[in-house]
Amino acid sequence: MTLTTDWTKPGSFSAGRDPLGFQAASVRLYTSLVPGLTNVTNRLRYYSFYCWVVWQFEKIHHTTKEDKWVEFIRRCEAAIALACQIGDAPNALGMAGSEWWRYEAGDTTKKTFDLIAPTNRPGEDGQYLKAKYGNFGQFYTASMLEMGLIESASARVYAVSSTAGKALAAAVQEEHPKACALLLKAVEAGRISRADCETISEALHPSYLDSSSQEARLLKQFLQGSRADDPTAEARRISLRNVLAVVSDTKGEFDLRRELYVQSGSLGGPSQGVENLTRWRAYFLNEFCHIALEVWLNALVGVSNQVAEPTTVEALAASLAMLAVSDGNTSTENLAASMALKSLGEEHDLGAELLAAASVKKMPETSAVTGSTRLILSLWLRWREASQVRDELHRETVEGRSAEGVFRFLDLNSAENARLTVAKLIKKFVVSNHLTIAGQKLATGGRFTYRFTLDDGCLVDGEFGEYTYTQPRIANLLTFARDAHLVDEESGVITADGAEFLNAA
């Protein structure tokens, strides 16, 4: 008989999105830069739609029973996603359930659609969305509570706020009464016709927001941070202005991440957003260091897999350091000076190359291993005296796991042999940090995220991973700017409304 005690029960395997613990600092940085939305709150008009849905539930059902709310919100979401797939599928990207409805909506012979079967088994397969509380509960609730559009009525049921939320809900109802009535009829009946879907889409599709409407005006107030009672307003307003400055400078062709790091053109001049831009730089520095270390993480796995027998961490780190540093005699300071990249743009571009190397499950090329050395040392040399950037990093660093932790380590080892410094850096920021983070995930969530483990001081069972940057919300902020007609959808050029907001005092 085999006995397995609870504490030895294996956890479910997960690839782990933050194997070195660096992304946590990145998330803390960008959360404060773009509050009020997330990486999955990806259409501006969902905010007004959800205010209307919450308001209608209050008016129709007069209850805080969770099962009634779950049924109502899931049917509303499924209905609007289906309607927009039928009305204009190419522009319905980012709507919860779009992929689920794609094939059924594409069958033009089908005239009526069931809303009950795709919504009544939350958590199971064959549903428009598995999440019990819908897209709203999983992704929008926290943001809408934060900015004061909704408030809690019970544990998982909500009410619209008396001011901003109700104003948005009323605008949707007053400007689109027919579409709203058709949607409510479909939710109650549990079915919807193709013709009704077309009418609803024409009125409520996220890409069809009428810039002259009251709904659009109120959504712009949120997006542009002009609501005095919104605690998320100021930070989002400044980030939006800086994003629009990039759009204005580059005439429709730009890499937003690159521009927010390099900060040329109007971003480089005097601006009320200097603090914001400094914090963006801190975010990108952390991302660059993170991706360089993840190249080393895969390289360490590759080196360990190449040896014939278990090898100590000390020996493996030294072996990898020999690949990372070709000159075995120079100091850390001198190596940094000899490898330093000339411009911020070159640093970004090297980071992009390393991102490509880290995103595949294989041993990185030697050029990527040495490229990681070059990027880390170049960043340290450029920014080590930049107290404002380092202060931003320091505030978001926990237990040394950030670019600031790497910079401090290099500060202390600037006069030491560069190869020995890199070997120690690998042991501390790759081996030790990974084992710590993976252990915490296993203990708290039952997720086995180890890319390697230790056995009697030897690194064993190495497995390559696929790594990427965090997604800092700026893509969705830009999508919101397009939805609000601040940036032209087709040309990518800033509109007159966008220029007016950008140039406002």
Side-chain angles (χ1 to χ4, degrees):
M1 182 174 70
T2 302
L3 297 175
T4 305
T5 57
D6 285 345
W7 63 271
T8 61
K9 184 179 180 180
S12 58
F13 180 79
S14 168
R17 289 181 292 180
D18 190 11
L20 303 178
F22 268 56
Q23 286 186 341
S26 291
V27 170
R28 284 188 286 269
L29 283 160
Y30 75 59
T31 297
S32 69
L33 286 162
V34 194
L37 63 151
T38 72
N39 289 318
V40 283
T41 51
N42 42 22
R43 297 308 296 258
L44 177 62
R45 213 171 180 188
Y46 258 135
Y47 288 90
S48 51
F49 174 72
Y50 282 135
C51 285
W52 176 82
V53 169
V54 170
W55 190 39
Q56 293 305 312
F57 184 78
E58 290 180 71
K59 291 170 63 177
I60 294 169
H61 292 286
H62 307 287
T63 182
T64 57
K65 288 185 177 179
E66 189 176 302
D67 59 339
K68 292 296 294 182
W69 167 247
V70 168
E71 176 186 280
F72 190 78
I73 186 62
R74 288 174 65 83
R75 286 193 192 177
C76 284
E77 287 182 356
I80 192 69
L82 172 62
C84 293
Q85 274 295 302
I86 288 173
D88 184 355
N91 287 311
L93 296 175
M95 299 191 70
S98 288
E99 289 300 318
W100 197 91
W101 285 118
R102 188 174 304 281
Y103 296 108
E104 197 168 354
D107 179 3
T108 56
T109 65
K110 189 162 188 176
K111 302 303 180 185
T112 305
F113 302 85
D114 177 30
L115 295 176
I116 298 174
T119 62
N120 66 355
R121 301 187 316 279
E124 298 182 21
D125 292 331
Q127 298 282 281
Y128 85 102
L129 195 72
K130 279 191 173 185
K132 179 178 180 180
Y133 303 97
N135 186 53
F136 170 78
Q138 189 169 19
F139 299 129
Y140 281 80
T141 301
S143 294
M144 293 179 71
L145 284 169
E146 183 182 19
M147 71 184 74
L149 292 177
I150 59 172
E151 54 197 34
S152 294
S154 67
R156 295 303 297 260
V157 180
Y158 301 91
V160 289
S161 66
S162 58
T163 52
K166 193 162 288 185
L168 267 173
V172 173
Q173 178 65 41
E174 290 168 9
E175 292 172 342
H176 308 291
K178 183 177 180 181
C180 290
L182 291 175
L183 187 58
L184 289 175
K185 182 184 78 171
V187 168
E188 182 180 4
R191 61 185 180 276
I192 189 169
S193 71
R194 180 174 289 273
D196 286 353
C197 282
E198 290 170 349
T199 301
I200 292 167
S201 175
E202 186 65 30
L204 301 176
H205 196 292
S207 295
Y208 294 178
L209 180 63
D210 180 356
S211 61
S212 64
S213 67
Q214 173 72 347
E215 181 190 4
R217 187 184 70 79
L218 293 170
L219 285 172
K220 283 182 182 178
Q221 279 187 352
F222 145 65
L223 180 61
Q224 297 175 174
S226 55
R227 257 183 53 215
D229 62 340
D230 179 1
T232 69
E234 183 178 5
R236 185 174 57 256
R237 178 174 66 250
I238 296 172
S239 282
L240 178 60
R241 275 188 167 159
N242 285 327
V243 166
L244 290 179
V246 170
V247 176
S248 180
D249 283 348
T250 52
K251 310 303 180 189
E253 293 292 333
F254 56 86
D255 179 334
L256 195 51
R257 297 181 72 105
R258 192 179 199 276
E259 296 299 331
L260 285 173
Y261 178 64
V262 175
Q263 296 179 16
S264 58
S266 60
L267 288 184
S271 164
Q272 63 170 319
V274 169
E275 220 173 277
N276 176 279
L277 290 170
T278 299
R279 199 159 173 81
W280 275 118
R281 277 230 171 103
Y283 162 80
F284 288 113
L285 287 176
N286 199 65
E287 291 289 280
F288 294 149
C289 276
H290 179 215
I291 208 68
L293 291 171
E294 287 180 327
V295 169
W296 281 351
L297 173 56
N298 265 346
L300 191 65
V301 168
V303 170
S304 70
N305 290 343
Q306 290 170 359
V307 297
E309 56 186 24
T311 306
T312 66
V313 171
E314 190 83 26
L316 290 172
S319 178
L320 180 55
M322 290 184 68
L323 292 177
V325 179
S326 58
D327 187 341
N329 298 312
T330 191
S331 69
T332 305
E333 179 86 29
N334 289 340
L335 181 64
S338 68
M339 300 185 83
L341 293 158
K342 294 179 181 179
S343 69
L344 295 164
E346 288 182 353
E347 289 169 353
H348 172 275
D349 295 346
L350 178 53
E353 289 178 25
L354 297 177
L355 177 65
S359 64
V360 293
K361 293 182 177 181
K362 68 176 186 178
M363 174 70 181
E365 301 289 337
T366 301
S367 60
V369 176
T370 57
S372 293
T373 307
R374 187 176 194 189
L375 183 57
I376 289 172
L377 292 181
S378 183
L379 294 172
W380 169 61
L381 199 65
R382 184 183 300 278
W383 298 105
R384 64 179 177 176
E385 302 298 332
S387 59
Q388 291 179 325
V389 174
R390 292 190 64 169
D391 285 347
E392 295 290 351
L393 283 164
H394 176 70
R395 277 192 284 272
E396 307 305 344
T397 298
V398 174
E399 296 180 353
R401 290 190 290 268
S402 76
E404 172 60 16
V406 172
F407 290 173
R408 285 188 195 177
F409 181 88
L410 294 171
D411 290 341
L412 294 172
N413 289 274
S414 61
E416 302 299 320
N417 177 276
R419 187 176 285 170
L420 293 178
T421 296
V422 167
K424 289 191 292 183
L425 195 150
I426 290 166
K427 286 190 292 183
K428 178 177 175 63
F429 289 94
V430 178
V431 178
S432 179
N433 278 359
H434 174 60
L435 293 174
T436 298
I437 293 299
Q440 289 173 350
K441 289 180 178 179
L442 184 60
T444 59
R447 292 173 294 161
F448 189 89
T449 62
Y450 288 97
R451 308 314 304 187
F452 54 75
T453 54
L454 290 184
D455 183 4
D456 198 22
C458 297
L459 192 152
V460 297
D461 298 329
E463 184 176 343
F464 295 118
E466 296 175 346
Y467 307 114
T468 187
Y469 289 146
T470 57
Q471 301 302 317
R473 303 184 181 185
I474 48 175
N476 283 349
L477 185 61
L478 185 57
T479 298
F480 281 19
R482 294 190 182 106
D483 286 348
H485 306 289
L486 302 178
V487 176
D488 183 72
E489 181 71 37
E490 292 186 6
S491 67
V493 174
I494 192 168
T495 65
D497 284 351
E500 181 182 358
F501 168 70
L502 178 61
N503 297 322

